[in-house]
């Protein structure tokens, strides 16, 4: 159990705490509210995930725009929804990697 338990309260922080954090340095333990950080952070995995995500998002939006036509306001809402849905698998892979391979430290 490398990075699953909070170093302060020794309870599992869960995947949702990692997913909810806007940045990797803003993870908070849901139990004691301590700010924690993973060290060393996998920058290569994160950058690679971001590049693949952007490529996949561009392809998804291009395919969507080609096959569907709605008014401009609904396009924006659909694009936002697509961006969130396409990012979720990447977020879960990074969270799983952090929990299994990296150490959790108090910030």
């Amino acid at each position: 159990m490398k990075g699953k338990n909070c170093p302060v309260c020794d309870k599992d922080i869960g995947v949702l705490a990692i997913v909810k954090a806007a940045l990797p340095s803003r993870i908070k333990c849901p139990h004691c509210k301590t700010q924690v950080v993973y060290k060393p952070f996998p920058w290569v995995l994160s950058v690679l995930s971001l590049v693949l995500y952007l490529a996949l998002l561009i392809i998804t939006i291009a395919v969507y725009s080609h096959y569907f036509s709605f008014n401009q306001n609904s396009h924006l809402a659909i694009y936002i929804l697509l961006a969130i849905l396409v990012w979720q698998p990447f977020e879960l892979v990074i969270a799983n990697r952090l929990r299994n391979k990296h150490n959790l430290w108090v910030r």
Side-chain angles (χ1 to χ4, degrees), residues 3-105:
K4 295 182 180 182
N5 292 344
C6 174
V8 175
C9 66
D10 201 36
K11 293 183 181 175
D12 190 353
I13 65 166
V15 175
L16 189 59
I18 300 169
V19 172
K20 283 183 1 182
L23 297 171
S25 61
R26 299 192 53 120
I27 301 171
K28 285 188 179 181
C29 173
H31 307 288
C32 65
K33 306 299 183 210
T34 304
Q35 285 201 342
V36 293
V37 64
Y38 280 99
K39 291 182 182 178
F41 189 76
W43 289 109
V44 174
L45 177 66
S46 299
V47 170
L48 181 62
S49 295
L50 188 60
V51 168
L52 288 172
Y53 163 71
L54 291 174
L56 187 61
L57 184 63
I58 290 169
I59 291 168
T60 304
I61 288 175
V63 168
Y64 168 80
S65 297
H66 180 71
Y67 287 108
F68 300 102
S69 63
F70 297 103
N71 62 28
Q72 192 65 26
N73 291 335
S74 64
H75 270 300
L76 180 61
I78 301 277
Y79 290 160
I80 292 171
L81 180 65
L82 283 173
I84 292 169
L85 289 176
V86 169
W87 177 247
Q88 290 310 303
F90 292 101
E91 183 79 36
L92 293 174
V93 165
I94 291 172
N96 189 34
R97 172 77 179 200
L98 285 171
R99 286 173 51 87
N100 292 324
K101 302 287 184 188
H102 297 273
N103 294 319
L104 198 57
W105 297 82

